[in-house]
Amino acid sequence: MQNTISWVLGILFLLEACTRMAPEVEPPTDNTDCVPQFPDQKVTYQNYVKNIVALHCTRTCHKGGNSLGTGNFTTYAGLKHFATDRFYFRVIQNNADMPQGKAPLPKSIRDSLNVWLKNCAPEN
């Protein structure tokens, strides 16, 4: 009887804990508080990132509509929404898992993307 009560209480506790999880919050889309960390390096969406993303991200996955990847990276506005710490972990770090099913991008490309991200992801 005591085991049954313990099991029931344990299950109720787990169910209650699962319903009180923190809601997912969209990352902020404006970066008005961002201070460029590499102001002397001019890596922008228009002069660099757009071509890298077109070559490695939007051909098969992140092109919007019914594509395989989340998000539409074919425009600055579409990519900017994802230019967060998650972009760093998924694309830039040494253990990056994007592009999916392929090796991480070359280190020189990831370094340049990191400069873009750390400089507040400028468009121009």
Side-chain angles (χ1 to χ4, degrees):
M1 177 74 171
Q2 189 173 3
N3 278 345
T4 304
I5 292 173
S6 295
W7 275 99
V8 169
L9 289 175
I11 290 172
L12 289 174
F13 174 77
L14 288 174
L15 288 174
E16 180 67 19
C18 289
T19 60
R20 292 183 184 251
M21 293 170 51
E24 287 189 30
V25 178
E26 292 292 326
T29 55
D30 71 10
N31 60 352
T32 55
D33 295 336
C34 184
V35 176
Q37 294 180 23
F38 305 102
D40 58 321
Q41 296 183 21
K42 304 297 181 198
V43 179
T44 69
Y45 174 80
Q46 290 297 331
N47 75 7
Y48 185 77
V49 176
K50 179 171 136 178
N51 295 328
I52 297 302
V53 169
L55 183 62
H56 296 283
C57 308
T58 61
R59 282 191 176 175
T60 58
C61 294
H62 299 282
K63 56 187 171 189
N66 293 327
S67 66
L68 298 173
T70 303
N72 181 350
F73 294 1
T74 62
T75 66
Y76 174 74
L79 180 60
K80 176 72 170 134
H81 179 73
F82 291 90
T84 63
D85 287 343
R86 186 169 184 194
F87 184 84
Y88 174 83
F89 290 114
R90 300 292 308 268
V91 179
I92 297 171
Q93 73 166 342
N94 287 333
N95 296 327
D97 63 348
M98 292 290 161
Q100 195 167 31
K102 298 179 182 177
L105 298 172
K107 179 91 169 98
S108 60
I109 291 175
R110 289 184 287 129
D111 287 346
S112 295
L113 291 173
N114 191 40
V115 167
W116 176 71
L117 190 65
K118 299 295 183 187
N119 279 349
C120 311
E123 182 174 13
N124 295 309

